Each structure stands twice: as structure tokens, then as C-alpha cells.
Amino acid sequence: MGKTWLPLLPFLILFRIISNEAAITVGGGVGIGLGNGGGGVWIGGGIGNTPTPTSVSKLSGAYTALQAWKSAITADPLGILKTWVGSDVCSYKGVFCGIGSDAEPLVAGIDLNHANLQGTLVSELSLLTDISILHLNSNRFSGTVPDTFRGLSSLQELDLSNNHLSGPFPVVTLYIPNLVYLDLRFNSFSGPVPQDLFNKGLDAIFLNNNQFEGEIPQNLGNSPASVINLANNKFSGNIPATFGFMNSKLKEILLLNNRLTGCIPEGVGLFSEMQVLDVSRNSLMGHLPDTISCLSDIEVLNLAHNQLSGELPDLVCSLRTLMNLTVAYNFFSGFSQECSKLFTRNAGFDFSLNCIPGRDMQRPQPECSVIPGSGLSCLRIPAAQPLVCGTLLGNLKANRTSSSSP
């Protein structure tokens, strides 16, 4: 399956934040040569055996920031902050130091994943202008994200997942100029998601398991991200009709367990590199667009727990990369021989609780007498012959462009 963003091990992260001439210092332990200059990396507990900085100009601001943050942390059951003593911030546990291009030591990253710290994020953290990573997964931080975070000009990865943060979407994250990874999942953020989120150059967007609501912005397809997870929120309305027209690099999108209605848009087939598409547990209706058959790299397709209808087309079941197809709890009226072959391919195929005659584990007939959304127009492009993806999708893009012209 495609790239799935996971919390990175510190020694792997270092390769992303080190310059050719830089040396990263993370406490005593193991030395690893990196870069053309043969710099050293020390991976250990962050205490002792740390080279003495020749300059403290950049580290003085870091000391101010970290001490201010320490004073706002009210619980430290693992004793992490016992090491946060003295001006040598490079010896602090969870703090990763390096040597900048000007040969001065600097704080390059903070990784406090699973530290179980309780407290708040403080505005002084904006003094850490050299950090590339800030990973705070699985703590108990509450409150909001300080507006001063826009000053984190070098930050590339921000992981605030699995905390107790709340309030509206932290718009300040959209002003962090070099951010490519944004993880806000498993918090209590609420309200709408700003349209500008999908205009940013982010490669990974995780907003799942919050309380976000309202419609998904119409420019969703503008995002260059390879992974977008909006699952387990309260999003409503339609999946944007432009979805798929702007970007073909998306590999995984998860929209499950929201309150989405309407059709699956025709443009979904333009994601030729899509590997995971999950729109389950919504209230989507209508027939599937033929363009789903253009998802030539799809591995997981989950349409379960919606109100989709019609016959499951051969064009979908014949996708050769498909490892799991789930259409359970819909109103599909049948599927053909090609779909039956999924069983012989050892691909997962769950079609239970639909309206397919002669099949076991289907809905009771009275539930199938009235198909939800039977009068819904999904504006499908008619195709009298089997779909030729390149030709039809080329026409689809052309039609989209001409219809949007003045």
C-alpha cells in the first residue's frame, strides 16, 4: 500500500533536517557519520556526552522558549523535564541539536511523542525558529495553538495529534511557510475548515477524529497532498464536484464516518495513483461513476454504509490491483461475473445487506422496495461502450475547462 505517514523515529528524521555540512547532536550514545562533511550524530538519552557549543547565540532563545514551556507543564509522570535544567538545551531529553550553515549550534527538532505531558503550548515556542520538526503526539496538551507559531519559519513537520487541544481550526498553521506535514487528529478542534488549507503545499493532512463540521471546501482537489484524512468528523454536504480535476497525485483519502450526502463525483477517476479511497459511513446516494474504473492503482475501496444503488459494474470489479472491495449496507441491486471473480483472486469482497436477488445476507425485501435517492441526478457522462479511461477522462477535463471559462 502507498506511503502512510507514521511518527518517525528520531534517527530517521535527522536525515531530513540535516544539511550537508551539519552535525546533529542528540545526547550521548551512538555516533553515525552523515553528510559530505562527515558530521556526527549522537543518538541517546539526550543527557551528557554532548559537544560543548562554541556559541550560544541561537541557543539562548531556545533556552528562554523551553524554560517558559516547562513552567506551563503541570504534569510530567515520566520525568522527562527533570533533564531540562541548565543552559545546555542540547542535553534536554527530547531536544535535538545541530550545527547550522553558519557553524553555530541550534535546536533542530523536538520529539516528545508519548511523553504523557500535561499543560499548554506557550507563545515563546516561536523563538525556536530553527526547528524542522515538532512532534507532540500522545500527550495531554490542552488549550489552543498560539498565534506566534507563524514565526516557526523552518518547521516542516507539526504533529499535535492525540492531545486535548480545542477551539477552531488553528489557522496559524497555514502561515508556517515551509510546513509539509500537518497532523491534528484525535483532538477536539471544531467548526469549519478554511479553504486555504487545500491551497497550501502540504504533502500530508490529518484532521481525523475531531469535531470539524460544515461543508468540505470546494477547492479540496487543489491540494498537492498525497494523503488526506478527514474521517470521523461532522462534515456535511456533497463531496466537492471539482474533486479530482486539479491534482492526480493523491494516494489516500479517507472521508469515512461523516455526514456527506449527494453523489460520488465523476472526477474521482482522475486520481490515477489513488491506492485507498474510503467514503464509508456517510449518506451518499446514486450510482457509481464509471470513472472509478480508472483507479488503476487502487487497493482498498470502501463504499459501505451509504445509500448507493444500481448494479456494481464489471469496470470496478475488474481493477487488477484491488485487494479489498467493501459495498456492504447499501442498496446495490446486483453484480456480474467479474465481481464474482474477486473471491478466486483472494480479494476481500463484502456485499452483504444490499438488495441483490438470490444472494445470502441481503436486506429484507420491504427495505428494497423504495431505493433512497432514486431520483437523484448525478450528471453522469453516458458511455454506450466500455469505458476507455484516457479518452473519456481527457474529454472530462476538457468539458470541465470549457464550462469554467467565461
Side-chain angles (χ1 to χ4, degrees), residues 20-44:
N20 286 340
E21 69 273 16
I24 300 291
T25 305
V26 196
V30 183
I32 303 175
L34 286 182
N36 295 334
V41 175
W42 289 264
I43 301 174

Side-chain angles (χ1 to χ4, degrees), residues 352-388:
S352 60
L353 291 163
N354 278 279
C355 297
I356 305 175
R359 296 287 181 172
D360 294 333
M361 299 180 65
Q362 298 300 294
R363 291 179 181 273
Q365 184 55 40
E367 293 184 15
C368 297
S369 59
V370 179
I371 304 298
S374 56
L376 184 68
S377 173
C378 293
L379 300 176
R380 300 301 186 210
I381 294 178
Q385 298 179 348
L387 179 66
V388 178

Side-chain angles (χ1 to χ4, degrees), residues 185-329:
R185 57 187 156 176
F186 291 97
N187 278 287
S188 297
F189 293 113
S190 59
V193 169
Q195 180 172 305
D196 284 347
L197 172 65
F198 301 111
N199 292 330
K200 287 283 291 181
L202 295 168
D203 185 55
I205 301 172
F206 293 99
L207 305 186
N208 53 292
N209 296 84
N210 279 281
Q211 302 293 319
F212 291 119
E213 58 189 0
E215 295 190 1
I216 298 174
Q218 290 298 309
N219 67 331
L220 172 66
N222 285 12
S223 176
S226 60
V227 182
I228 299 176
N229 192 338
L230 306 182
N232 302 314
N233 281 286
K234 298 178 180 179
F235 290 113
S236 57
N238 296 348
I239 299 174
T242 58
F243 180 59
F245 286 102
M246 302 299 179
N247 172 31
S248 61
K249 301 300 182 183
L250 188 64
K251 296 184 184 300
E252 299 184 19
I253 184 161
L254 294 93
L255 303 176
L256 65 144
N257 198 26
N258 280 286
R259 300 171 181 175
L260 301 174
T261 55
C263 307
I264 295 177
E266 199 86 50
V268 69
L270 295 175
F271 289 110
S272 58
E273 298 182 18
M274 181 87 73
Q275 296 173 345
V276 177
L277 172 61
D278 192 334
V279 295
S280 62
R281 297 186 180 276
N282 283 287
S283 296
L284 300 172
M285 297 181 180
H287 295 187
L288 296 182
D290 284 347
T291 53
I292 283 184
S293 66
C294 298
L295 299 177
S296 56
D297 287 343
I298 195 74
E299 297 177 7
V300 176
L301 179 58
N302 193 344
L303 310 173
H305 290 270
N306 280 289
Q307 300 175 36
L308 300 165
S309 57
E311 184 165 310
L312 195 62
D314 278 349
L315 294 169
V316 173
C317 295
S318 61
L319 289 164
R320 293 304 168 192
T321 57
L322 200 57
M323 297 170 57
N324 189 289
L325 173 61
T326 305
V327 298
Y329 290 89

Side-chain angles (χ1 to χ4, degrees), residues 12 38 117 147 158 185 200 243 372:
L12 292 177
L117 297 170
D147 286 341
L158 178 62
R185 57 187 156 176
K200 287 283 291 181
F243 180 59

Side-chain angles (χ1 to χ4, degrees), residues 176-194:
I176 301 174
N178 291 301
L179 198 66
V180 294
Y181 174 94
L182 177 62
D183 193 344
L184 302 178
R185 57 187 156 176
F186 291 97
N187 278 287
S188 297
F189 293 113
S190 59
V193 169

